[in-house]
Every structure is written in C-alpha cells, then in structure tokens.
Amino acid sequence: LDPTLHGEKLKLFCLEDEQPVCLVCRDSQTHDNHKFRPISESVSSYKEKLNTALKSLQAKLKHKENIKGEFEKTVQHIKSQAEHTERQIKQQFETFHQFLRDEEEATITALREEEEQKKQMMKEKLEEINRHISALSHTIKDTEEMMQDNDVCFLKKFPVSMERVQILQPDLQTPSGALIHVPRYLGNLPFRVWKKMQDIVQYTPVILDPNTAHPSLVLSDDLTCVKDLWNKQPLPDNPERFDSYSCVLGSEGFNSGTHRWDVEVKGNSHWILGVTTASNQRKGREFFDTDVWSVQYGLYERSGFPVRQDLERVRVYLVYDRGMVLFFDPVTNTHLHTFTTTFTDTVFPFFETASSLRFLQFKIK
C-alpha cells in the first residue's frame, strides 16, 4: 500500500472505518465526527488482538493434531483387534473342524468294523456251503460210478448208496442281518453329530465387552474372564470405555425378560457386580452416583449392598419386567440381597475387580 495520501504520510487510524488516513482526510466530511488514534498505537492494539486470535488458532491446531494422533492410534487398534479376533475365530473353528474330523473318522471306523464282521460271517457261510457242495459232488460221483458196476455189485452197494443220496442236508440261506446297517451311519447324521457336540460346547450367559473395559483390565480370549493388571494399557479413549473405575460391562443389554449369570469371585480381595443402565456416565467419578444396582465386597461403601462373608460365587437374577435384581450365594443357596425398582432403560451387567472374575458356563440342554 502507498504509505502516503494527498502528499502526506498516513499518521492516523480511523477507528470507525478501520483504515489509515492523513491529516487532510481527517478534516474532510468523509471522516466527520470519527475517532482517530496514532497509527503506531493502533498497530500495537490490533497486533495484540490478532496475536490472541492466532494463539487460539494454534491451540485449536494442536488440539486437532492430538485428535488426529488418537484417531491414528484407534485405526491401529482396530487393525490389531481385527487380527486378534480373526486368530481366535480360526482357533475356535479349528476346534470344531477337529471335532468333526474325529467324528467322521470314528463313524467310518465303525462302518469298516461292521463291514469286516459281516464279511467274516459270510466267509464262514461260504466255507460251510463249499463243504456241502464238495460232499454232494463226491456222493454224485460215487453214485454214478456205482451205477456202472455189474448187477451183483450194484445190488450189494445199493442200500448204502441209497442211504447216502437220501441224506437231507440243510438248505443254506443268507442269514438275517448280513447286510450293513446303513441307517446306523447315515440316519440323521448331522443331528446326531450336533447332539454330541453339545457335550463339548458350553454357553456363557454374559460375555464381556472389551470396548468398555478400563485400560487397566485385560480380558480372556473368550471374553469370560477379567483381570486387573494395575497398569493402564495404551487403549483408545472411546466414549464407551470406563476411564476412572476398573469396570467393564457385559456385551449384551437387556430390556425385557428374566436373565441369570454366575460369577466366580473366590480369592478376590474386593469386587462389585450388578447391573447399570446403558445411559449411565462411564467417564469420571460419577458412575456409582445413580442407576447402579449391585453388591460389593472388601470396599468402603461406594455403592450397593455390602457383602461381609467370603464367597466363592455370586448368582445374579435380573427380572426386568418386575424391576428386580436378586443376588444369591449359589454354593449355599443363600439369598444376599434384592433391589426393587422400575426399569425404563436398557440395563447391562457390570463388574469391578481388584484381581480377577470369571463367568461360569452352562451346558446346553
């Protein structure tokens, strides 16, 4: 910009028009009743304002760069989750595949054993009928030769020969049950294998959600056990994750029906377990302030009903439609506590531990 106007240096700054002016312009009607400041004073003031705004932009840039870094870490975590989950899927399916291979081998082995038994039985029958055929052949040959003898010899041999040709021999037939019992192997084969698979497959009513677990918690590969490492792991700070309390939620929420799960708490110095609403705040220290129905052991009375006895297991019943959460000691069948409320939100099982908790499995019936 030209630093002069009307042959004069620009020494003033019009606050209304926010532009530099010369003395001639100041006295013109264009800037009538306007306020002016020296340019040097105005520059300092505006630089200060712009610097403040610039610092705000720099702070926003740093914040967005930090968020970008978290997003990049989340992408890596997603990749790691997918790879680990894929390995677990393959391992579990390999267990099923091996079970099916074993069942196939056992079924084919039984088929071949029956085949050998039936073939051996028919072999013995063949040997028996061969003996009969040989005996008949000899009798026929001897009789034919006798009939060529002279009359005297023929008459002498006749009684014995007649007796031999009249001997009744059993009429051999294919024995009952000689064939392969095909339905034993093919009949309802998939169903029978599925029924047998139930002996090795168990069901866990509560599966933990690793995306909700506090960073100090580690879950087992099958998501049925939780252990506190007492050291935070580098995990994404996603909205679902606890960041203050060492808690984790079940993966499935309930908004109707009756549900039951057993938790092994033996050897745990302190624990809390129960249910909470889906909308309860997981960040900060407000989680236990509301919407938590639980029992606890070995803690100051943070939340829920305090259990004094050292238990091995705790059984939880959720009767959603009646607004009831019941806790029992399944070992002694002792009632511990019952909460009664009115549920209006989906509720999730939740757990906190100082060492480890394990969720017991049930056989499929």
Side-chain angles (χ1 to χ4, degrees):
L1 295 175
D2 188 353
T4 65
L5 189 63
H6 303 129
E8 293 189 8
K9 289 185 176 182
L10 304 177
K11 297 181 179 180
L12 300 176
F13 185 78
C14 177
L15 299 179
E16 279 74 10
D17 294 335
E18 293 188 334
Q19 62 181 12
V21 297
C22 63
L23 294 177
V24 175
C25 293
R26 182 193 64 177
D27 297 330
S28 68
Q29 292 182 350
T30 306
H31 296 281
D32 190 25
N33 295 324
H34 288 187
K35 294 181 180 180
F36 300 90
R37 291 287 185 273
I39 280 184
S40 59
E41 180 182 327
S42 298
V43 167
S44 177
S45 174
Y46 275 84
K47 279 188 175 182
E48 185 177 345
K49 289 181 180 179
L50 188 59
N51 189 51
T52 301
L54 181 61
K55 287 182 178 179
S56 176
L57 284 178
Q58 290 171 338
K60 289 179 180 179
L61 175 62
K62 185 176 181 180
H63 178 64
K64 290 185 183 298
E65 287 176 342
N66 290 338
I67 293 177
K68 177 187 175 184
E70 290 300 317
F71 283 3
E72 290 172 344
K73 290 179 182 177
T74 300
V75 169
Q76 290 301 315
H77 185 70
I78 291 170
K79 181 181 178 183
S80 175
Q81 272 189 314
E83 291 173 348
H84 179 75
T85 303
E86 182 177 339
R87 287 194 298 272
Q88 295 304 311
I89 290 171
K90 288 181 177 180
Q91 287 181 11
Q92 294 204 28
F93 271 98
E94 177 54 30
T95 301
F96 297 144
H97 295 159
Q98 187 59 50
F99 171 82
L100 292 174
R101 286 193 292 267
D102 292 344
E103 283 300 301
E104 177 187 8
E105 183 178 351
T107 305
I108 291 175
T109 298
L111 171 63
R112 288 175 177 168
E113 287 177 353
E114 183 178 357
E115 177 191 9
E116 289 303 316
Q117 290 173 359
K118 297 296 174 68
K119 284 164 63 176
Q120 179 62 31
M121 179 180 67
M122 292 308 300
K123 182 180 178 181
E124 293 171 358
K125 292 294 181 181
L126 280 169
E127 291 174 351
E128 183 179 359
I129 199 169
N130 283 335
R131 288 195 298 271
H132 289 182
I133 290 173
S134 178
L136 285 173
S137 297
H138 284 301
T139 299
I140 291 171
K141 182 180 179 182
D142 291 346
T143 302
E144 289 175 341
E145 289 177 351
M146 184 202 74
M147 292 180 70
Q148 301 300 321
D149 288 347
N150 58 52
D151 293 345
V152 175
C153 289
F154 172 78
L155 290 173
K156 287 183 178 180
K157 295 179 181 178
F158 174 77
V160 176
S161 297
M162 195 62 189
E163 184 179 351
R164 287 180 63 187
V165 298
Q166 288 182 334
I167 293 176
L168 294 177
Q169 294 186 341
D171 188 10
L172 298 179
Q173 295 180 347
T174 302
S176 176
L179 302 182
I180 296 293
H181 192 343
V182 176
R184 179 181 298 158
Y185 307 103
L186 295 183
N188 290 317
L189 179 59
F191 177 78
R192 289 187 290 108
V193 172
W194 173 72
K195 288 287 289 183
K196 194 168 183 179
M197 186 178 287
Q198 292 183 10
D199 294 334
I200 66 167
V201 175
Q202 293 185 322
Y203 171 74
T204 306
V206 172
I207 298 297
L208 298 174
D209 183 357
N211 294 336
T212 67
H214 184 275
S216 69
L217 299 179
V218 62
L219 307 185
S220 61
D221 288 337
D222 63 359
L223 305 178
T224 62
C225 299
V226 56
K227 184 177 182 180
D228 194 342
L229 298 177
W230 291 89
N231 288 311
K232 287 188 176 183
Q233 306 165 89
L235 298 174
D237 187 24
N238 48 301
E240 301 87 356
R241 191 179 304 281
F242 287 92
D243 64 355
S244 292
Y245 294 112
S246 298
C247 293
V248 61
L249 297 184
S251 61
E252 181 183 0
F254 306 114
N255 51 28
S256 64
T258 299
H259 310 274
R260 185 195 91 176
W261 57 92
D262 286 6
V263 187
E264 187 175 71
V265 296
K266 183 179 180 180
N268 202 319
S269 60
H270 77 256
W271 47 263
I272 305 176
L273 58 90
V275 299
T276 187
T277 58
S279 58
N280 196 2
Q281 178 59 250
R282 302 173 199 174
K283 304 296 185 184
R285 309 293 292 182
E286 300 175 1
F287 174 72
F288 287 102
D289 292 349
T290 184
D291 291 340
V292 171
W293 299 271
S294 62
V295 292
Q296 66 172 42
Y297 171 80
L299 288 165
Y300 60 90
E301 297 190 8
R302 175 188 298 167
S303 172
F305 180 79
V307 175
R308 306 303 180 190
Q309 57 268 48
D310 189 9
L311 302 177
E312 292 185 17
R313 303 175 186 175
V314 176
R315 176 167 295 166
V316 184
Y317 280 99
L318 169 64
V319 188
Y320 187 95
D321 302 317
R322 296 176 60 187
M324 299 175 65
V325 187
L326 305 93
F327 299 89
F328 289 86
D329 173 3
V331 176
T332 62
N333 198 29
T334 302
H335 173 251
L336 300 175
H337 191 70
T338 295
F339 290 98
T340 303
T341 184
T342 300
F343 293 121
T344 57
D345 192 4
T346 299
V347 296
F348 284 82
F350 91 92
F351 314 89
E352 180 180 354
T353 177
S355 54
S356 64
L357 295 175
R358 182 170 70 93
F359 304 93
L360 302 181
Q361 300 175 329
F362 301 129
K363 280 193 175 182
I364 299 175
K365 297 181 180 180

